[in-house]
Structure formats: C-alpha cells, structure tokens
Amino acid sequence: FKPKPFWELEAIGDVSAQHEKGKFWDEKEVKKIHEKIKNEKTAVVKKITKKTQLQYPPNPFDLTSLQLEAYRLFRINPKDSLALAQSLYTKAYISYPRTSSNQFPLNMDIKSLLQKIGRQKEYAKLIQELIEKNKLKPNNGKKTDPAHPPIHPTGLEPKKLSERENKLYDLIVRRTLATLANPAKRESVSAELDIKKEIFIANGIRTVEPGWHKFYGKYATFDEINLPSMDEGDIIKIKKIDLLDKETQPPKRYTPASIIKELEKRNLGTKATRSQILEALYQRNYVTGQSIQVTNLGLKTVQTLDKYCPEILDEEMTRKLEQDMEEIREKKETKEKVIDKAEKHLLKILKHFKENEL
C-alpha cells in the first residue's frame, strides 16, 4: 500500500464542521481557501436539514453473527466463543449453537419462551414489556438452516457460570429480546455553514425513540452527536479553522472475527469448522496477531504452492466439495458419488504435487 497525501479543512467553534469538499487532493487549492478564511470568527447558518429514520432491530443470532458480536464486544476469539456457546448448550441454557439460521420458525411459541426467561429477575421487566405488545414478531434474517433454529436461550435459569459464559449468555438473551422489539428512531441533522462563501458541514445524530436499543442494553452502541439549536440565518462563533495534513490509510487487516465472516461470504468451510481452520493457521505459524498478519512461513508456503501446485489454493475446489456435502444432507446426491468424484479430483492434484516434490 502506498499512502497518498490529502488535506482537510475543519472549523471549530460552537460546532465542529468540515469543508463540504471533504478531501482536498490539491495542496495549492486548499491553502488558497485556508488563507482566505483562516482569520474568520463567525459563520452564517445557510441551511438546516433534518431527517428521521427507523433503525430496525438486529436479526437473531446464527453462529457467525454471534462470533462477530462476541469479538466486537468482549474480544473473545471465534474458537473460544464457539466453545463457550457449546458449554451453555451442553448445560441446556441455550439452543444448539452450530446453526446458520437467523430466522425463528413460524411455529415457535415465542411467548411461552419469553415467559420462561422472564422468571429471571434481570430480564423480567423487559419481557413483560414485550409480552404486552400486540404481536411478537421477530426481525428474521434471510439465512436458513433446516436442521436448527437461531441461537436463543431455552428459559432454564443458569447456575454457576464462568465470567465469559455469563457474558455470552446475557448477550444471547438480550439479542433475542431485541429482535422482538420495535424499531429505534434516529434523527440526523445537517447544518450548512457559510464562511466567506466557503460551505462547511456540521453533522449531528441522536436517538429519538430507543426502541430495541433498550432491550439490547449496553450492547447497542451508537454515536450521539448533538448539535446546538440553530435556525437558518443565525450567526455562530468560530474559534479557529484548521488545515489538516493527512494520508490515505491501508484497508484494515482481518481480525479473527472478520476473517470468519469472509469465509462465510465465500462459502468456505462450515459454520462448525471455520474457527478450527483459523486456529490451524495460528498453530502452524502461518499467521500471527489479533490484527492478522501473514508470517514469512505462511507467505512462502502460499508462494510455493502457487508456483508448483496452484490447484491446492483453488477456492472453487473447496467450495464445490462443501456444496456436494450439503447435497448429501438434503438427499439430492449420494455420498458414494460425491466421495468418488472428490477422490478422483484429489488424486489428480496430489499426483501433480508429488511430481514437483523435492
């Protein structure tokens, strides 16, 4: 990655505002504008735009979304969050965690489930509020799993959980409640400020009605940027106008959670094996760190395979094998036929690999 320099203009005073152009790629242009306005101490409010939007509840948890959220909130790696979820399942506190569904079945008695969870004091008031709604309708996602529903609490009250088990359990309960709650209402405000004919934009956002945020609790983290009350034509104070030197940044590296999401997106591995695949990369010293970096060994391994046996690196081979195994489960294909086809393909690849082996 080669960084590219750019510049920004920021006005700081009663509000913080950025020049409407955003990034300036021409240093001469931005310096000319800065020279013109740098000593200005006031701005005129030219236009106020307000927009209210509904923010719908999250979908129920499938395994991948649970692993992503557990990493975002608690920095629990996917392998560990799966193990913790498995422990909660074994103790009968949550449903089966290895699911790719984020849809509650239509025939599921959600009200009865809520009443069971409501026996736990921590959630009683929230659940009573949900039950008083006319209709309990979850905000289902688009992913299905014929074998298992999304991850949810069973209603059995947990006993003697570890700290991390307790965190994960609370997250699963609150996610389940949040999916059944009303949308939140958020208001965004944009103010156009005129500083000697140069337009600066100040943006604010706030929650008007919390809706499902209330049920998701501390896990619902959103920016609240409140702008002072302003009307068109108002004069506001400016303390200073900064000329900021910046550089473009490289794309963020994968984390243990985001690489799991990428594997799912590419249909590589299964919901149960993706965290194991990642763990194998760490154990074999192919990658390192939470902000994942390839090691020299990992890089040389890929380069060598790409040169001498590129078929091993072919995503399509892995993806097709996963699809074939799914068709066995759905009884669209026989296991004998799939194994025979995979065996022939793998023998061909391994023969090529052996031919180039030192």
Side-chain angles (χ1 to χ4, degrees):
F1 177 80
K2 295 180 180 178
K4 186 178 178 183
F6 67 92
W7 295 264
E8 290 179 344
L9 286 171
E10 181 177 34
I12 300 170
D14 291 341
V15 297
S16 291
Q18 285 69 42
H19 195 281
E20 64 175 347
K21 193 165 181 177
K23 294 181 175 70
F24 287 86
W25 302 102
D26 185 336
E27 186 178 10
K28 289 182 180 178
E29 178 191 11
V30 72
K31 283 188 172 181
K32 184 178 179 181
I33 295 173
H34 184 244
E35 190 63 31
K36 179 175 79 168
I37 63 174
K38 67 180 182 180
N39 295 320
E40 293 300 305
K41 297 301 178 186
T42 59
V44 179
V45 179
K46 188 176 181 181
K47 186 179 179 181
I48 298 286
T49 304
K50 292 184 179 181
K51 184 186 258 186
T52 302
Q53 291 182 317
L54 290 179
Q55 185 186 50
Y56 288 92
N59 304 135
F61 274 140
D62 60 284
L63 178 58
T64 301
S65 59
L66 174 63
Q67 288 172 317
L68 285 168
E69 198 74 336
Y71 186 82
R72 179 182 76 87
L73 294 164
F74 313 128
R75 285 296 181 263
I76 298 176
N77 283 337
K79 171 178 168 283
D80 295 334
S81 56
L82 175 55
L84 291 166
Q86 181 65 33
S87 174
L88 291 171
Y89 167 69
T90 303
K91 296 171 184 175
Y93 299 144
I94 67 168
S95 60
Y96 188 66
R98 291 176 174 85
T99 177
S100 56
S101 174
N102 59 6
Q103 296 184 17
F104 280 112
L106 294 174
N107 61 355
M108 186 169 175
D109 189 350
I110 292 177
K111 185 175 181 180
S112 175
L113 174 63
L114 290 179
Q115 288 170 336
K116 290 177 184 176
I117 303 168
R119 294 170 191 154
Q120 299 172 45
K121 290 182 181 179
E122 188 174 354
Y123 310 113
K125 287 184 179 179
L126 292 174
I127 286 171
Q128 186 58 41
E129 190 174 326
L130 280 178
I131 289 175
E132 288 172 359
K133 284 178 61 178
N134 292 329
K135 196 171 183 181
L136 290 169
K137 185 178 179 182
N139 185 36
N140 280 338
K142 296 181 179 179
K143 294 192 286 186
T144 59
D145 185 335
H148 305 288
I151 303 169
H152 63 276
T154 61
L156 187 65
E157 185 169 2
K159 308 281 186 188
K160 297 180 180 178
L161 295 183
S162 70
E163 182 183 355
R164 297 210 301 175
E165 283 177 329
N166 191 62
K167 284 180 177 179
L168 203 68
Y169 178 77
D170 184 60
L171 176 62
I172 292 167
V173 172
R174 290 184 180 276
R175 179 66 161 239
T176 302
L177 303 186
T179 66
L180 297 161
N182 293 327
K185 190 178 287 186
R186 301 264 283 167
E187 181 187 66
S188 59
V189 181
S190 179
E192 292 186 17
L193 310 178
D194 187 331
I195 305 176
K196 290 191 78 171
K197 304 302 181 185
E198 297 294 336
I199 303 301
F200 283 71
I201 309 294
N203 292 312
I205 189 164
R206 67 189 184 98
T207 301
V208 180
E209 294 177 10
W212 63 268
H213 294 185
K214 178 180 178 181
F215 297 84
Y216 210 30
K218 60 188 176 184
Y219 309 130
T221 52
F222 300 98
D223 290 334
E224 297 286 331
I225 305 170
N226 290 300
L227 295 182
S229 179
M230 291 181 285
D231 294 311
E232 291 178 14
D234 284 355
I235 306 294
I236 65 167
K237 293 178 181 178
I238 300 294
K239 292 179 181 177
K240 60 178 180 174
I241 298 173
D242 289 334
L243 172 58
L244 306 173
D245 296 342
K246 295 187 176 183
E247 286 185 336
T248 53
Q249 298 298 308
K252 288 184 178 179
R253 291 184 180 275
Y254 286 115
T255 66
S258 65
I259 194 68
I260 295 287
K261 186 177 182 180
E262 184 68 20
L263 287 171
E264 181 186 53
K265 180 181 171 183
R266 298 190 188 196
N267 199 23
L268 299 173
T270 69
K271 52 188 175 287
T273 63
R274 288 178 188 122
S275 59
Q276 294 170 3
I277 292 168
L278 178 60
E279 186 66 15
L281 296 179
Y282 280 112
Q283 288 179 349
R284 294 172 188 175
N285 195 31
Y286 291 154
V287 299
T288 185
Q290 294 297 293
S291 179
I292 299 176
Q293 296 187 46
V294 65
T295 62
N296 189 53
L297 174 62
L299 188 62
K300 293 296 183 185
T301 301
V302 170
Q303 289 172 343
T304 303
L305 288 172
D306 189 43
K307 182 177 180 180
Y308 294 107
C309 194
E311 303 97 316
I312 288 180
L313 300 178
D314 183 16
E315 287 184 19
E316 191 55 39
M317 179 187 72
T318 305
R319 190 180 296 115
K320 184 68 174 67
L321 187 57
E322 296 289 0
Q323 289 170 352
D324 288 344
M325 288 192 290
E326 184 68 16
E327 289 190 352
I328 294 173
R329 191 186 64 76
E330 295 174 356
K331 301 191 185 320
K332 294 179 181 177
E333 191 61 273
T334 66
K335 64 180 180 181
E336 290 79 14
K337 190 173 179 180
V338 169
I339 290 171
D340 183 60
K341 185 168 64 173
E343 184 180 15
K344 287 177 181 176
H345 190 57
L346 288 170
L347 285 172
K348 183 180 176 182
I349 291 172
L350 291 170
K351 182 183 177 185
H352 186 197
F353 183 83
K354 278 286 184 184
E355 288 170 353
N356 287 295
E357 193 174 27
L358 294 177

